[in-house]
Amino acid sequence: MAPDNEAAGGGAGGGGGVAVVGAGLAGCLLAVLLGRRGIEVTVYERRPDPRVAGAEQGRSINLAISARGLAALEQVGLRDHALKQALPMHGRMVHPRGGEPNFQPYSADGGRAINSIGRAELNRSLLETAEATPGVRLVFSRRVTGVDTKAGALLLEDPAGRSSTEPADVVLAGDGAYSAVRASLRPDGDTDFLEHGYKELTVPPRDGGFALDPDALHIWPRGTSMMIALPNLDRSFTCTLFWPKSDFDVLDTPDRVAAYFAEHYPDVAKLMPGLVEDYGRNPVGSLVTVRCWPWVRYGDGAIVALLGDAAHAIVPFFGQGANCAFEDCIEIDRCLTETDGHWPRALSLYQERRKANTDAIAEMALDNFVEMRDRVSSPVYRAKQAATHALERRLAGRYVSRYELVSFSTMPYAEIPSRIRRQNRVLAGSAAGAAGALVLSLRILRRRSRR
């Protein structure tokens, strides 16, 4: 537990106020929530203002905002605005090797959807909301290199490499999977890299319309690898390759790139006139899972907490990275309310409540990678999914799939695996009971027929 020490980032600290590190999705949302509480917040971002400089190219991985993210955005009045920037995807369109595409709805009734939205567009909306919130100050092109918890100071560096410090009583670090703040705190834990990397490509509009069905998240499963495509408002698709990193180096000439895609992704390769250029220009990104503990450090001068990817980066295969980070922000805000604004107690509650949930979604995201790249093209998998949806329709509210619980509810992630196990046990018991009753009935009928 945290020390009951106001100076450790509490209400009467050294006068440095609250600093949020990282002006990404989570950092901006948290700044808005805190600003609306009347807390003075300074947000530090190492990059230039993306509204001026533009977003980084080739590293976006479109977001799939679902129930958890929408609930968080509702808290700052951005839910409807975000949905206007998004396109609903009601299921997966699976493009098997050598077969026709097949649509697999996400929900039993086909009515629920996850929402494709560009990271840059959502970040812009959150930045503008933060900038308009009284008490919130945005500082760009200032890289936070660490925190001196004893002195209560952020360690900063400007684009010219000049170092400086700024006082801070509370530091909330949302500076991503490669967090400099986390590195300076050296918590216990590990950083696991997949052998796979990712590269972004584009399917442009075709004759002024979508080249693929915009109501689906498209998947080209290829066993140990895959490609996905998500629709954009401009009628393009953002495609992402998820391949073993060694495979990217093999395609080292334009001819090899074109030939490989014509063989392995023939239905979409012809829709990508800029394929060779995109492939050569866009970098290969890494896929990482971060597990660390504790997330909160209490010093004599400052209290520091990690959130979002800085605390628990996950792979993107359940579309929950941003949704999960938004839940962190909501939990911090909730804990401040419960503790009457006492930062040490609030952040202690926050990390205790969130850790099990983030561990759970990290494991589910890794498992969903195998499902997307391999299982979805199997006839057995499709039959199982059809049976699952039939059960959901027949046992509404009593039998719910894992996908529904993750994407279309706000049930804590940590409760989902046990919920699935319980309902499967009940179902197995019911099936066994029904089978026993059938066997008994058959025996009775045989006895009667012998009389």
Side-chain angles (χ1 to χ4, degrees), residues 89-96 100-108 110 112 114 213 215-219 221 371-372 374-386 389 403 408:
M89 301 178 293
H90 287 86
R92 298 165 172 164
M93 184 69 76
V94 177
H95 300 252
E100 291 298 314
N102 62 85
F103 182 76
Q104 301 176 8
Y106 285 130
S107 64
R112 295 188 175 186
I114 59 176
D213 183 352
D215 191 37
L217 186 155
H218 293 258
I219 307 176
E371 179 171 308
M372 292 174 72
D374 190 10
R375 299 175 194 153
V376 294
S377 57
S378 162
V380 173
Y381 173 86
R382 293 173 63 185
K384 181 181 175 182
Q385 289 299 99
H389 286 328
Y403 195 93
F408 304 131

Coordinates of all heavy atoms in Angstrom, one line a residue, residues 89-96 100-108 110 112 114 213 215-219 221 371-372 374-386 389 403 408:
M89 N -18.0 -2.1 -38.2 CA -17.7 -3.4 -38.8 C -18.5 -4.5 -38.0 O -18.2 -4.8 -36.9 CB -16.2 -3.7 -38.7 CG -15.4 -2.6 -39.4 SD -13.6 -2.9 -39.3 CE -13.3 -2.7 -37.5
H90 N -19.4 -5.1 -38.7 CA -20.3 -6.1 -38.0 C -19.8 -7.5 -38.0 O -20.4 -8.4 -37.4 CB -21.7 -6.1 -38.7 CG -22.5 -4.9 -38.4 ND1 -22.4 -3.7 -39.1 CD2 -23.4 -4.6 -37.4 CE1 -23.2 -2.8 -38.6 NE2 -23.8 -3.3 -37.5
G91 N -18.6 -7.7 -38.6 CA -18.0 -9.0 -38.6 C -16.7 -9.1 -39.3 O -16.2 -8.1 -39.8
R92 N -16.2 -10.3 -39.4 CA -14.9 -10.6 -40.2 C -15.3 -11.1 -41.6 O -16.2 -11.9 -41.7 CB -14.1 -11.6 -39.5 CG -13.6 -11.3 -38.1 CD -13.2 -12.6 -37.4 NE -12.5 -12.3 -36.1 CZ -12.3 -13.2 -35.2 NH1 -12.7 -14.5 -35.4 NH2 -11.7 -12.9 -34.1
M93 N -14.6 -10.6 -42.6 CA -14.7 -11.2 -43.9 C -13.4 -11.9 -44.1 O -12.3 -11.3 -44.2 CB -14.8 -10.1 -45.0 CG -15.0 -10.6 -46.4 SD -16.6 -11.5 -46.6 CE -17.7 -10.0 -46.7
V94 N -13.5 -13.2 -44.1 CA -12.3 -14.1 -44.2 C -12.0 -14.5 -45.6 O -12.9 -14.9 -46.3 CB -12.5 -15.3 -43.3 CG1 -11.3 -16.3 -43.4 CG2 -12.7 -15.0 -41.8
H95 N -10.8 -14.2 -46.0 CA -10.3 -14.5 -47.4 C -9.4 -15.7 -47.3 O -8.2 -15.5 -47.2 CB -9.6 -13.3 -48.0 CG -10.4 -12.0 -48.1 ND1 -10.9 -11.5 -49.2 CD2 -10.8 -11.2 -47.1 CE1 -11.6 -10.4 -49.0 NE2 -11.6 -10.2 -47.7
P96 N -9.9 -16.9 -47.4 CA -9.0 -18.1 -47.3 C -8.2 -18.3 -48.6 O -8.5 -17.8 -49.6 CB -10.0 -19.3 -47.2 CG -11.3 -18.8 -47.9 CD -11.3 -17.3 -47.6
E100 N -13.5 -18.8 -51.7 CA -14.3 -17.6 -51.7 C -14.3 -17.0 -50.3 O -14.3 -17.7 -49.3 CB -15.7 -17.9 -52.2 CG -15.8 -18.3 -53.6 CD -15.3 -17.2 -54.5 OE1 -15.7 -16.0 -54.3 OE2 -14.5 -17.4 -55.5
P101 N -14.3 -15.6 -50.2 CA -14.5 -15.0 -48.9 C -15.8 -15.4 -48.2 O -16.8 -15.6 -48.9 CB -14.5 -13.5 -49.3 CG -13.8 -13.4 -50.6 CD -14.2 -14.7 -51.3
N102 N -15.7 -15.4 -46.9 CA -16.9 -15.7 -46.1 C -17.0 -14.8 -45.0 O -16.0 -14.4 -44.4 CB -16.9 -17.2 -45.7 CG -15.8 -17.5 -44.7 OD1 -15.8 -17.3 -43.5 ND2 -14.7 -18.1 -45.3
F103 N -18.2 -14.3 -44.7 CA -18.5 -13.3 -43.7 C -18.9 -14.0 -42.4 O -19.7 -14.9 -42.4 CB -19.6 -12.4 -44.1 CG -19.9 -11.3 -43.1 CD1 -19.1 -10.2 -43.0 CD2 -21.1 -11.4 -42.3 CE1 -19.4 -9.2 -42.1 CE2 -21.4 -10.4 -41.4 CZ -20.5 -9.3 -41.2
Q104 N -18.2 -13.6 -41.3 CA -18.5 -14.2 -40.0 C -18.9 -13.1 -39.0 O -18.0 -12.3 -38.6 CB -17.2 -14.9 -39.4 CG -16.7 -16.0 -40.4 CD -15.4 -16.7 -39.9 OE1 -14.9 -16.4 -38.8 NE2 -14.9 -17.5 -40.8
P105 N -20.2 -13.0 -38.7 CA -20.6 -11.9 -37.8 C -20.1 -12.0 -36.4 O -19.8 -13.1 -35.9 CB -22.2 -12.1 -37.8 CG -22.4 -13.5 -38.1 CD -21.3 -13.9 -39.1
Y106 N -19.9 -10.8 -35.8 CA -19.3 -10.8 -34.5 C -20.3 -11.2 -33.4 O -20.0 -11.7 -32.4 CB -18.8 -9.4 -34.1 CG -17.5 -9.0 -34.8 CD1 -17.3 -7.8 -35.5 CD2 -16.4 -9.9 -34.7 CE1 -16.1 -7.5 -36.1 CE2 -15.2 -9.6 -35.4 CZ -15.1 -8.4 -36.0 OH -13.9 -8.1 -36.6
S107 N -21.6 -10.8 -33.6 CA -22.6 -11.1 -32.6 C -23.6 -12.1 -33.1 O -23.8 -12.3 -34.3 CB -23.3 -9.8 -32.2 OG -24.0 -9.2 -33.3
A108 N -24.4 -12.7 -32.2 CA -25.4 -13.7 -32.5 C -26.5 -13.1 -33.4 O -27.0 -13.8 -34.3 CB -25.9 -14.3 -31.3
G110 N -26.1 -10.4 -35.3 CA -25.5 -9.7 -36.4 C -25.6 -8.2 -36.3 O -25.2 -7.5 -37.2
R112 N -24.4 -6.2 -33.7 CA -23.4 -5.4 -33.0 C -22.1 -5.3 -33.8 O -21.8 -6.1 -34.7 CB -23.0 -6.1 -31.7 CG -24.2 -6.1 -30.7 CD -23.8 -6.7 -29.4 NE -24.9 -6.6 -28.4 CZ -24.8 -6.8 -27.1 NH1 -23.6 -7.2 -26.6 NH2 -25.8 -6.7 -26.3
I114 N -17.9 -3.5 -34.1 CA -16.8 -2.7 -33.6 C -16.6 -1.6 -34.6 O -17.1 -1.7 -35.7 CB -15.5 -3.6 -33.4 CG1 -15.1 -4.3 -34.7 CG2 -15.8 -4.6 -32.3 CD1 -13.8 -5.0 -34.6
D213 N -15.7 -4.7 -49.1 CA -16.9 -4.5 -48.2 C -16.5 -3.7 -47.0 O -15.7 -4.1 -46.2 CB -17.5 -5.8 -47.8 CG -18.8 -5.7 -47.0 OD1 -19.2 -4.6 -46.6 OD2 -19.5 -6.7 -46.8
D215 N -18.2 -3.0 -44.4 CA -18.9 -3.5 -43.1 C -18.2 -4.6 -42.4 O -18.7 -5.2 -41.6 CB -20.3 -3.9 -43.5 CG -21.2 -4.1 -42.2 OD1 -21.0 -3.3 -41.3 OD2 -22.0 -5.0 -42.2
A216 N -16.9 -4.8 -42.8 CA -16.2 -6.0 -42.2 C -14.7 -5.6 -42.0 O -14.2 -4.7 -42.6 CB -16.3 -7.2 -43.2
L217 N -14.2 -6.3 -41.0 CA -12.7 -6.3 -40.8 C -12.2 -7.5 -41.7 O -12.6 -8.7 -41.4 CB -12.4 -6.5 -39.3 CG -10.9 -6.5 -39.0 CD1 -10.7 -6.1 -37.5 CD2 -10.2 -7.8 -39.2
H218 N -11.5 -7.2 -42.7 CA -11.0 -8.3 -43.6 C -9.8 -8.9 -43.1 O -8.8 -8.3 -42.6 CB -10.8 -7.6 -45.0 CG -12.0 -7.1 -45.6 ND1 -12.7 -7.8 -46.6 CD2 -12.7 -6.0 -45.4 CE1 -13.7 -7.1 -47.0 NE2 -13.8 -6.0 -46.3
I219 N -9.7 -10.3 -43.2 CA -8.6 -11.1 -42.8 C -8.2 -12.0 -43.9 O -9.0 -12.7 -44.4 CB -8.9 -11.9 -41.5 CG1 -9.5 -11.0 -40.4 CG2 -7.7 -12.6 -41.0 CD1 -9.9 -11.8 -39.2
P221 N -6.0 -15.0 -43.6 CA -5.3 -15.9 -42.7 C -4.4 -16.8 -43.5 O -4.8 -17.4 -44.5 CB -6.4 -16.7 -42.0 CG -7.5 -16.7 -42.9 CD -7.4 -15.5 -43.7
E371 N -6.1 -17.4 -33.4 CA -7.4 -17.6 -34.0 C -7.5 -16.9 -35.3 O -8.0 -17.4 -36.3 CB -8.5 -17.0 -33.0 CG -9.9 -17.1 -33.6 CD -11.0 -16.8 -32.5 OE1 -10.9 -17.4 -31.4 OE2 -11.8 -15.9 -32.8
M372 N -7.1 -15.6 -35.4 CA -7.2 -14.9 -36.6 C -6.3 -15.4 -37.8 O -6.8 -15.4 -38.9 CB -6.9 -13.4 -36.3 CG -7.9 -12.7 -35.4 SD -7.4 -11.0 -35.0 CE -7.6 -10.2 -36.6
D374 N -5.1 -18.4 -38.2 CA -5.2 -19.8 -38.5 C -6.6 -20.4 -38.4 O -7.1 -20.9 -39.4 CB -4.2 -20.5 -37.5 CG -4.0 -22.0 -37.9 OD1 -4.4 -22.4 -39.0 OD2 -3.4 -22.7 -37.1
R375 N -7.2 -20.2 -37.2 CA -8.5 -21.0 -37.0 C -9.6 -20.5 -37.9 O -10.5 -21.3 -38.2 CB -8.9 -20.9 -35.5 CG -7.9 -21.4 -34.6 CD -8.3 -21.2 -33.1 NE -7.2 -21.4 -32.2 CZ -7.1 -20.8 -31.0 NH1 -8.0 -19.9 -30.6 NH2 -6.1 -21.0 -30.2
V376 N -9.7 -19.2 -38.1 CA -10.9 -18.6 -38.8 C -11.2 -19.2 -40.1 O -12.4 -19.2 -40.6 CB -10.9 -17.1 -38.9 CG1 -10.9 -16.4 -37.5 CG2 -9.6 -16.6 -39.7
S377 N -10.2 -19.8 -40.8 CA -10.5 -20.3 -42.1 C -10.9 -21.8 -42.1 O -11.2 -22.4 -43.1 CB -9.2 -20.2 -43.0 OG -8.1 -20.8 -42.4
S378 N -10.9 -22.4 -40.9 CA -11.3 -23.8 -40.7 C -12.8 -24.0 -40.7 O -13.5 -23.3 -40.0 CB -10.7 -24.3 -39.4 OG -11.3 -25.5 -39.0
P379 N -13.3 -25.0 -41.5 CA -14.7 -25.3 -41.5 C -15.2 -25.7 -40.1 O -16.3 -25.5 -39.7 CB -14.8 -26.5 -42.4 CG -13.7 -26.3 -43.4 CD -12.6 -25.8 -42.5
V380 N -14.3 -26.4 -39.3 CA -14.6 -26.7 -37.9 C -14.8 -25.5 -37.1 O -15.8 -25.4 -36.3 CB -13.5 -27.6 -37.3 CG1 -13.8 -27.9 -35.8 CG2 -13.4 -28.9 -38.1
Y381 N -14.0 -24.5 -37.2 CA -14.1 -23.3 -36.5 C -15.4 -22.6 -36.8 O -16.2 -22.1 -36.0 CB -13.0 -22.3 -36.8 CG -13.1 -20.9 -36.2 CD1 -12.7 -20.7 -34.9 CD2 -13.7 -19.9 -36.9 CE1 -12.9 -19.4 -34.3 CE2 -13.8 -18.6 -36.3 CZ -13.4 -18.4 -35.1 OH -13.6 -17.2 -34.5
R382 N -15.8 -22.6 -38.1 CA -17.0 -21.9 -38.5 C -18.2 -22.6 -38.0 O -19.2 -22.0 -37.6 CB -17.1 -21.9 -40.1 CG -16.0 -20.9 -40.7 CD -16.0 -21.0 -42.2 NE -17.2 -20.6 -42.8 CZ -17.5 -20.7 -44.1 NH1 -16.6 -21.2 -44.9 NH2 -18.6 -20.3 -44.6
A383 N -18.2 -23.9 -37.9 CA -19.3 -24.7 -37.4 C -19.4 -24.4 -35.9 O -20.5 -24.3 -35.3 CB -19.1 -26.2 -37.6
K384 N -18.3 -24.3 -35.2 CA -18.3 -24.0 -33.8 C -18.9 -22.6 -33.5 O -19.6 -22.4 -32.6 CB -16.9 -24.1 -33.2 CG -16.8 -23.8 -31.7 CD -15.3 -23.9 -31.3 CE -15.2 -23.5 -29.8 NZ -13.8 -23.6 -29.3
Q385 N -18.5 -21.7 -34.3 CA -19.0 -20.3 -34.2 C -20.5 -20.3 -34.4 O -21.2 -19.6 -33.7 CB -18.3 -19.3 -35.1 CG -16.9 -19.0 -34.8 CD -16.8 -18.4 -33.4 OE1 -16.5 -19.0 -32.4 NE2 -17.0 -17.1 -33.3
A386 N -21.0 -21.0 -35.4 CA -22.4 -21.0 -35.7 C -23.2 -21.6 -34.5 O -24.2 -21.2 -34.1 CB -22.7 -21.8 -36.9
H389 N -23.3 -19.0 -31.6 CA -24.3 -18.0 -31.9 C -25.7 -18.6 -31.6 O -26.6 -17.9 -31.1 CB -24.1 -17.4 -33.3 CG -23.0 -16.5 -33.4 ND1 -22.5 -15.7 -32.4 CD2 -22.2 -16.2 -34.5 CE1 -21.5 -15.0 -32.9 NE2 -21.3 -15.3 -34.1
Y403 N -15.9 -13.3 -27.2 CA -15.8 -12.1 -28.1 C -16.8 -11.0 -27.6 O -16.5 -9.9 -27.5 CB -16.0 -12.4 -29.5 CG -15.5 -11.3 -30.4 CD1 -14.2 -11.3 -30.9 CD2 -16.4 -10.2 -30.7 CE1 -13.8 -10.2 -31.6 CE2 -15.9 -9.1 -31.4 CZ -14.6 -9.1 -31.9 OH -14.2 -8.1 -32.6
F408 N -18.2 -6.2 -26.5 CA -19.5 -5.6 -26.4 C -20.1 -5.4 -25.0 O -21.3 -5.3 -24.8 CB -20.5 -6.3 -27.3 CG -20.1 -6.4 -28.7 CD1 -20.1 -7.6 -29.4 CD2 -19.6 -5.3 -29.4 CE1 -19.7 -7.7 -30.7 CE2 -19.2 -5.4 -30.7 CZ -19.2 -6.6 -31.4

